[in-house]
């Protein structure tokens, strides 16, 4: 906190000093009237104040009087203001913050109080040149006082908000810890918090785990800023009404979205994919793992373990691994190790690598043929190529690899090799 402002009189002639003293005492004699005028202006100009009752304005009036008397006494006695002189103002700032008033409303009250006091000083000064000059000598110390007092109040507001945020963080962490233990709170503050997020013992939920894997702006991925920025972005309403429980813990961000009525797991996956892309555009690269649906709090520990496991499927440069969007085949292919890739016939591996460099024509044909249930004409239509072209591609695949795509076992081997190639390729590309 800075030292108190200097309110003592500047170097003035004796006549100006006497005139200054006269003005200050004249205002002091009518200070209650001036304070009442300030309260009325606040009531008229500050919307949040206008809604309050007389008990509130009694408190405001007392604060205004305290500030006015302190300023007038300090100016008349040529003394400075110390931090301890403003203890009463700090307490009032805490009361306003606790009651939910915005800091700008509190600062607006300071502005009104300063303006009304200045008008009263000018009114008591009169119109003589000497009186006007004496009044002008009060401008700088009055501004210094208001700056100092408002800064003092702002610090009290910030301290209160930090306290509120810390309490909210602690409550969210405690709620998440209980949910990850497999139980939903049944009473007390945590029960109320769970209800605010739409979480009950049998609520269908999912678990999402996100970690920062890169920052294109600073290169610092360990900063707590990433966790809280991610938390704030995830907490923004998605395609559902209501809030989402989001907690920053142990270097990761954990979210527990509830699958509300009319929603599907895919809706939640789409929301988190959009969050990941939005943050990536801003320079924060995230890896996200999304679980399947947990049917109540008892299954949430399993869902959390799934989300953590899904993180292992995300390439090194970030992305989203959403288990509800993966087939068992996709999951097994993504979990494959180097040994599984070594088991692929070298001829198949070589063909698919070469095909990747030529635009994946054969890979697309293999997938289209499988999706058409081995109906070559239907596959050709979907590929928008002539039937003979599709036939030529299948023959070429068989000649190069020894695998006939028309045989189920051979087609399955080609699809597995293709999935393994793509999984390995994505990892290398992002790394």
């Amino acid at each position: 906190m800075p030292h108190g402002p200097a309110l003592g009189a500047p170097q003035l002639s004796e006549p100006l000093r006497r005139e200054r003293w006269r003005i200050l005492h004249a205002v002091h004699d009518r200070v209650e009237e001036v304070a009442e005028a300030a309260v009325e202006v606040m009531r008229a100009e500050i919307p949040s104040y206008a809604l309050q009752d007389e008990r509130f304005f009694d408190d405001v009036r007392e604060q205004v009087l305290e500030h006015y008397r302190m300023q007038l006494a300090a100016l008349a006695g040529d003394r400075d203001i110390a931090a301890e002189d403003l203890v009463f103002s700090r307490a009032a700032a805490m009361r306003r913050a606790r009651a939910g008033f915005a800091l700008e409303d509190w600062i607006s009250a300071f502005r009104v109080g300063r303006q009304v006091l200045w008008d009263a000083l000018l009114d008591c000064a009169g119109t003589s040149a000497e009186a006007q000059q004496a009044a002008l000598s009060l401008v700088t110390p009055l501004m210094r006082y208001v700056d100092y007092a408002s800064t003092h109040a702002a610090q009290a507001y910030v301290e209160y908000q930090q306290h509120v945020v810390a309490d909210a963080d602690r409550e969210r962490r405690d709620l998440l810890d209980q949910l990850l233990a497999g139980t939903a709170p049944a009473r007390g503050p945590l029960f109320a918090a769970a209800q605010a997020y739409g979480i009950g013992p049998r609520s269908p939920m999912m678990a999402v785990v996100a970690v920062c894997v890169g920052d294109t702006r600073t290169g610092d991925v360990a900063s707590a800023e990433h966790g809280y920025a991610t938390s704030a972005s995830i907490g923004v309403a998605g395609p559902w009404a209501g809030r989402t429980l989001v907690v920053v813990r142990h270097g990761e961000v954990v979210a527990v979205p509830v699958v509300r009525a009319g929603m599907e797991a895919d809706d939640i996956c789409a929301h988190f994919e959009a969050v990941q892309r939005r943050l990536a555009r801003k320079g924060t690269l995230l890896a996200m793992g999304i679980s399947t649906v947990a049917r109540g709090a008892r299954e949430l520990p399993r869902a959390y373990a799934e989300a953590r496991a899904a993180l292992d499927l995300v390439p090194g440069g970030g992305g989203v691994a959403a288990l509800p969007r993966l087939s068992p085949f996709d999951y097994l292919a993504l979990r494959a190790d180097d040994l599984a890739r070594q088991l692929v016939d070298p001829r198949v591996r070589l063909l698919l690598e070469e095909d990747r460099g030529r635009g994946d024509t054969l890979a697309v044909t293999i997938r289209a043929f499988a999706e058409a249930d081995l109906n070559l004409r239907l596959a050709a239509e979907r590929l928008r190529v002539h039937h003979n072209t599709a036939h030529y591609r299948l023959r070429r695949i068989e000649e190069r690899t020894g695998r006939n795509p028309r045989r189920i076992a051979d087609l399955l081997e080609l699809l597995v090799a293709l999935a393994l190639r793509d999984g390995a390729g994505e990892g290398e590309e992002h790394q």
Side-chain angles (χ1 to χ4, degrees):
M1 174 61 63
H3 296 298
L7 302 189
Q11 295 299 319
L12 299 173
S13 65
E14 191 57 34
L16 284 179
R17 229 177 227 287
R18 286 196 300 271
E19 195 63 23
R20 176 185 167 116
W21 189 88
R22 178 190 67 77
I23 295 169
L24 291 171
H25 277 268
V27 174
H28 187 272
D29 289 342
R30 47 180 285 203
V31 69
E32 292 187 3
E33 173 191 334
V34 177
E36 186 62 42
V39 171
E40 290 307 311
V41 175
M42 291 175 195
R43 191 196 300 258
E45 293 190 2
I46 305 174
S48 61
Y49 278 35
L51 302 173
Q52 306 308 310
D53 58 19
E54 286 307 314
R55 182 178 178 183
F56 169 80
F57 284 107
D58 287 342
D59 185 31
V60 173
R61 191 176 295 106
E62 182 181 336
Q63 292 298 310
V64 173
L65 272 172
E66 193 88 23
H67 279 291
Y68 282 175
R69 285 170 175 155
M70 180 180 297
Q71 291 176 80
L72 293 170
L75 289 165
D78 289 347
R79 73 176 183 85
D80 298 337
I81 295 294
E84 53 267 25
D85 294 324
L86 291 171
V87 171
F88 74 95
S89 180
R90 187 179 183 83
M94 284 287 191
R95 290 198 297 276
R96 301 291 181 270
R98 194 177 299 114
F101 287 92
L103 176 57
E104 52 264 34
D105 291 341
W106 178 252
I107 300 301
S108 292
F110 268 99
R111 175 188 56 78
V112 169
R114 178 200 65 202
Q115 186 60 51
V116 172
L117 179 60
W118 175 243
D119 290 343
L121 288 167
L122 288 179
D123 185 57
C124 290
T127 58
S128 72
E130 197 169 62
Q132 292 288 308
Q133 189 174 350
L136 286 174
S137 73
L138 296 168
V139 172
T140 297
L142 283 178
M143 292 296 293
R144 286 175 180 166
Y145 177 86
V146 171
D147 287 345
Y148 184 69
S150 60
T151 299
H152 213 75
Q155 184 184 38
Y157 259 81
V158 169
E159 289 175 359
Y160 178 79
Q161 291 299 328
Q162 289 173 338
H163 171 74
V164 168
V165 169
D167 275 356
D169 279 348
R170 185 161 46 250
E171 182 179 73
R172 286 194 296 270
R173 283 196 300 271
D174 290 347
L175 174 57
L176 179 65
D177 287 343
Q178 185 162 341
L179 291 171
L180 293 183
T183 59
R187 62 179 64 85
L190 290 186
F191 173 71
Q195 285 191 315
Y197 294 111
I199 296 173
R202 296 179 178 82
S203 300
M205 297 171 277
M206 296 166 71
V208 181
V209 177
V211 295
C212 183
V213 296
D215 188 319
T216 59
R217 299 161 301 175
T218 66
D220 178 13
V221 299
S223 170
E225 175 189 350
H226 293 299
Y228 287 103
T230 302
S231 173
S233 296
I234 291 174
V236 173
W240 54 85
R243 301 158 61 198
T244 298
L245 174 63
V246 186
V247 178
V248 181
R249 65 196 291 273
H250 309 316
E252 64 185 21
V253 178
V254 181
V256 182
V258 175
V259 185
R260 303 176 191 273
M263 291 173 53
E264 301 289 341
D266 193 64
D267 297 323
I268 290 177
C269 294
H271 171 66
F272 284 97
E273 286 170 345
V275 169
Q276 196 275 342
R277 289 194 299 269
R278 183 167 65 249
L279 287 174
R281 287 194 296 270
K282 295 179 180 179
T284 300
L285 306 179
L286 297 178
M288 279 189 183
I290 304 177
S291 75
T292 60
V293 177
R295 303 295 173 183
R298 290 181 61 182
E299 292 188 11
L300 196 62
R302 182 263 302 162
Y304 174 69
E306 287 181 0
R308 292 290 305 275
L311 282 177
D312 293 337
L313 308 180
V314 180
V320 180
L323 296 184
R325 291 187 166 180
L326 296 180
S327 68
F329 179 86
D330 295 329
Y331 178 78
L332 291 172
L334 288 170
R335 296 286 293 180
D337 55 17
D338 289 339
L339 177 57
R341 296 183 182 91
Q342 288 300 318
L343 293 175
V344 175
D345 188 310
R347 293 176 295 172
V348 174
R349 189 162 60 242
L350 178 60
L351 174 71
L352 294 180
E353 288 302 328
E354 291 177 353
D355 185 51
R356 191 208 298 267
R358 297 190 180 106
D360 264 351
T361 301
L362 300 181
V364 170
T365 303
I366 292 170
R367 289 198 172 105
F369 188 54
E371 290 168 3
D373 296 326
L374 282 63
N375 185 323
L376 187 58
R377 289 192 178 277
L378 179 58
E381 288 176 10
R382 292 177 177 176
L383 290 170
R384 297 184 179 179
V385 299
H386 192 274
H387 172 266
N388 290 339
T389 301
H391 180 75
Y392 166 76
R393 291 178 183 175
L394 294 187
R395 190 170 70 249
R396 185 177 173 207
I397 291 168
E398 183 177 2
E399 290 171 354
R400 290 285 308 275
T401 66
R403 269 66 179 180
N404 181 359
R406 292 182 176 82
R407 294 182 64 246
I408 294 296
D410 286 357
L411 178 60
L412 183 59
E413 185 177 346
L414 290 169
L415 289 170
V416 169
L418 188 54
L420 292 174
R421 183 208 69 170
D422 289 348
E426 288 177 6
E428 292 167 5
E429 179 182 328
H430 289 286
Q431 288 168 8

